[in-house]
Amino acid sequence: MTRSGQDYLESLRDGREVWLDGERVKDVTRHPAFRNTAGSIARLFDLAHDSEHTPVLTSQGVHRAYAIPRSYEDLVARRRAHKVWAEASFGFLGRTPDYMAAGATGFAALPQVFTTESFDGAPNALAYHRRLAEGDLYPTFTITNPQIDRTRSASEQEEDDLVVRVVAERDGGIVVRGAKMIGTGAVFGNEVIVGTIEPLAPQDIEHAVCFSVPIDTPGLKFLSRTSYEAQARSVFDNPLSSRFDENDALLVCEDVFVPWENVLAYRNVDASFTMWWQTPAYVNFVHQAATRFWTKLEFLTGLAILITKANNTYQLPPVTQAIGRLMGKVAQAKAFVLAAEASYENVEGGQGVKPGKEISFAQRIMAGELYPQAVQEIKMLAGGGVIQLPASAEDLLHPELGPLVKKYIRSPGHPAEDRIKLLKLAWDALGSEFAGRHEQYERFYHGAPHIYLMQQVWEGDTGACESLAQACLDGYTLGAGGVERPAPGAFPGDDPRTPGRNTAGRGANR
Ligand SMILES: Cc1cc2nc3c(=O)[nH]c(=O)nc-3n(C[C@H](O)[C@H](O)[C@H](O)COP(=O)(O)OP(=O)(O)OC[C@H]3O[C@@H](n4cnc5c(N)ncnc54)[C@H](O)[C@@H]3O)c2cc1C
């Protein structure tokens, strides 16, 4: 059964240890740094009970993200569900519950990856997927080691417990100590996975562990970054950061006890890595994320259109062309989702299908580069209006200042209140601290570019590209009798004397 928003909010009142500004937060559903965002997430749960959305968001009584896709049509249905939730936050909540749900479903599609000589995590991976689906839980994850010193492996850091590691085995489970970064949404979650998505060194055996625990597990601390929601003046002044600040927290484990049944990978460097990459977990993540990214670009482009219409610049050819560039980016973002679905692959040795890997992986490169470009384009279109705004809605309501604001901050057909409302929304999306975090998010949440760019080469079909270029080179020679010149009007490759012409195209090399 899917939960209501109210059920979800109640589940957060569990004594979890969240810290902000030197204060322990008693209740994230009531604290001014978290409550609106908790409410926005609660609304996602409520959407599943809305008769219009139930058929899209659920399948056999659980959220659709938990259904293992068996066909292309199932992938399309999953994407439609991801899109409904993405639109509810205009793409600004990245790690909604369907993100890790998609990962868990990937685990369940190929559980044997969790079976190793040292530990059999397969039953636990299946139980994890089932627990989340049946409880309609909000799963989150911290699978990035704290930066500290990136030239050293987890076990080579200058202190033993900087990165989460196993410090003891006890009856019924293990004890872990150390930290992980950046737990997006973790303070709003029901469970958090602690693991590592980057490859570990062979000596990192104590760090080669992955488990999922309830957020209120004793010894688990979440140290929140600055809250943009707390900084927001009002919804009118900061419409996005006041409601969609999904939070990022440092997770610290202080001798946390983890029961065996919550352990997915244990003292196995390979399994703690392949669980993400060999199962469909990662490509499922990208499917959700790419759908949200497409939605976010639609939203930003919509803002650009509204801003330029309000400034009466929309019809100026260079401005219309800039909108055209943005629309092209929206189409590109959409194309990556549709192409990943169309190039779906069977889960080898497991169940169902998964989005195509090549396109999914490439989405990370496209999105990380395209997002800052889109933001830049819209800032150029917006000009100074997004800065010249009253400090807060109070000025607009003030008896003396209100008439001045209304007189000088307006556009044809756009009274001050409408214009200020639009431009404050735009600045929250493009230029605020919240916006800066989003730019960093879009660049890094898929992992570090220096890794995924290399991965695109290692795992991509470089041979097809190389041999096509080579085929061109092979198509002509210096010529024994002097430099060959094409006959007037002829393409060099058409020369019947040219060896290998037209035979080594892409198809021939696959
Ligand atoms: C807003 C946000 C939300 C996030 N949410 C989550 C989350 O919910 N869960 C989670 O687990 N993680 C999350 N992440 C973390 C994300 O996965 C990492 O940021 C990402 O994997 C990159 O790791 P890093 O930040 O440690 O950067 P690093 O690996 O330290 O890399 C930073 C830069 O240093 C350079 N560099 C470092 N090492 C090398 C090298 N070996 N070779 C060449 N150059 C190098 C590169 O220029 C690179 O871009 C989030 C990140 C952000 C920004």
Side-chain angles (χ1 to χ4, degrees):
M1 269 293 288
T2 55
R3 291 187 294 176
S4 68
Q6 196 52 40
D7 294 338
Y8 160 69
L9 290 174
E10 273 158 28
S11 74
L12 302 185
R13 298 183 189 122
D14 56 4
R16 58 192 52 210
E17 194 174 337
V18 175
W19 291 83
L20 174 75
D21 295 333
E23 172 206 351
R24 179 155 176 193
V25 175
K26 287 198 185 70
D27 179 350
V28 290
T29 69
R30 297 204 171 93
H31 193 284
F34 306 99
R35 65 187 172 208
N36 290 352
T37 303
S40 298
I41 298 165
R43 207 177 136 243
L44 300 179
F45 284 92
D46 280 336
L47 281 178
H49 297 262
D50 177 319
S51 58
E52 183 196 343
H53 295 303
T54 307
V56 179
L57 284 173
T58 64
S59 167
Q60 299 183 331
V62 300
H63 192 284
R64 193 172 289 279
Y66 291 112
I68 294 176
R70 312 274 168 186
S71 62
Y72 165 75
E73 287 73 22
D74 285 353
L75 285 176
V76 172
R78 283 172 76 81
R79 178 245 298 167
R80 294 210 166 106
H82 292 320
K83 189 100 172 65
V84 169
W85 270 13
E87 287 180 2
S89 72
F90 314 101
F92 282 86
L93 289 178
R95 295 284 165 69
T96 42
D98 54 338
Y99 190 99
M100 190 56 228
T105 306
F107 298 163
L110 196 60
Q112 56 268 42
V113 169
F114 295 84
T115 303
T116 65
E117 276 179 15
S118 52
F119 183 75
D120 187 6
N124 295 351
L126 289 170
Y128 172 65
H129 173 249
R130 206 166 40 245
R131 180 167 77 244
L132 298 180
E134 289 173 0
D136 197 23
L137 302 180
Y138 181 173
T140 61
F141 60 96
T142 51
I143 51 179
T144 309
N145 295 338
Q147 277 180 316
I148 305 181
D149 184 347
R150 281 280 181 257
T151 62
R152 300 182 190 202
S153 79
S155 58
E156 290 166 347
Q157 298 292 329
E158 60 185 15
E159 280 178 44
D160 277 347
D161 301 324
L162 297 181
V163 178
V164 170
R165 71 179 181 118
V166 182
V167 291
E169 277 187 21
R170 288 219 193 115
D171 276 355
I174 54 174
V175 178
V176 296
R177 192 184 299 155
K180 291 276 170 180
M181 71 178 216
I182 303 177
T184 301
V187 303
F188 300 112
N190 296 116
E191 286 201 19
V192 61
I193 281 203
V194 181
T196 312
I197 196 166
E198 308 296 353
L200 288 165
Q203 66 272 21
D204 294 339
I205 195 82
E206 287 172 359
H207 302 82
V209 61
C210 181
F211 54 87
S212 182
V213 281
I215 300 289
D216 64 345
T217 300
L220 211 54
K221 280 184 159 63
F222 295 90
L223 278 58
S224 168
R225 61 149 164 76
T226 300
S227 164
Y228 312 130
E229 181 177 326
Q231 291 173 350
R233 299 288 295 260
S234 67
V235 173
F236 184 86
D237 287 301
N238 311 90
L240 298 172
S241 48
S242 63
R243 297 179 296 163
F244 304 117
D245 180 13
E246 63 186 340
N247 199 269
D248 308 285
L250 177 73
L251 170 139
V252 180
C253 297
E254 291 188 320
D255 289 352
V256 171
F257 176 73
V258 183
W260 284 120
E261 55 270 25
N262 288 49
V263 179
L264 301 173
Y266 185 60
R267 293 179 72 86
N268 191 301
V269 170
D270 289 338
S272 44
F273 177 70
T274 53
M275 60 178 279
W276 303 105
W277 300 101
Q278 202 174 321
T279 71
Y282 193 85
V283 283
N284 283 357
F285 283 158
V286 178
H287 194 210
Q288 187 273 5
T291 306
R292 180 200 53 78
F293 183 75
W294 162 25
T295 308
K296 198 175 186 182
L297 276 192
E298 287 180 319
F299 171 79
L300 291 179
T301 301
L303 276 185
I305 294 168
L306 291 173
I307 293 167
T308 53
K309 285 191 171 170
N311 285 347
N312 223 355
T313 56
Y314 180 69
Q315 68 291 350
L316 301 174
V319 172
T320 315
Q321 287 157 21
I323 300 291
R325 265 195 299 276
L326 288 165
M327 290 298 291
K329 289 179 174 34
V330 172
Q332 212 176 318
K334 174 181 175 181
F336 269 89
V337 176
L338 303 192
E341 291 163 0
S343 61
Y344 71 89
E345 297 158 16
N346 290 323
V347 178
E348 246 172 74
Q351 297 184 59
V353 299
K354 58 183 179 179
K357 187 162 100 175
E358 184 186 18
I359 305 287
S360 300
F361 277 16
Q363 192 275 347
R364 307 174 295 181
I365 302 171
M366 176 278 297
E369 292 174 357
L370 193 148
Y371 191 79
Q373 290 167 10
V375 167
Q376 196 60 25
E377 184 96 73
I378 304 169
K379 280 182 174 168
M380 289 305 289
L381 293 173
V386 284
I387 303 300
Q388 194 59 90
L389 290 169
S392 78
E394 300 297 329
D395 289 354
L396 200 54
L397 300 171
H398 191 273
E400 189 180 339
L401 302 179
L404 293 176
V405 171
K406 285 179 185 156
K407 181 169 176 184
Y408 295 114
I409 302 184
R410 64 176 188 190
S411 335
H414 291 79
E417 185 177 331
D418 292 357
R419 183 174 163 81
I420 293 167
K421 187 178 180 193
L422 169 64
L423 296 183
K424 277 187 176 279
L425 172 62
W427 196 242
D428 215 14
L430 304 170
S432 64
E433 193 177 350
F434 170 84
R437 181 263 178 199
H438 272 271
E439 199 167 316
Q440 202 67 350
Y441 182 80
E442 300 299 353
R443 282 192 165 118
F444 279 102
Y445 76 97
H446 273 319
H450 68 269
I451 293 176
Y452 64 63
L453 287 169
M454 298 292 277
Q455 204 177 21
Q456 199 74 25
V457 176
W458 295 329
E459 308 222 6
D461 192 357
T462 51
C465 304
E466 194 180 341
S467 57
L468 186 60
Q470 191 60 50
C472 180
L473 285 169
D474 292 346
Y476 55 88
T477 59
L478 178 61
V483 178
E484 287 181 27
R485 298 195 188 283
F491 181 73
D494 291 340
D495 185 342
R497 289 168 303 163
T498 306
R501 73 189 176 106
N502 300 334
T503 57
R506 290 172 73 78
N509 291 304
R510 279 170 196 270

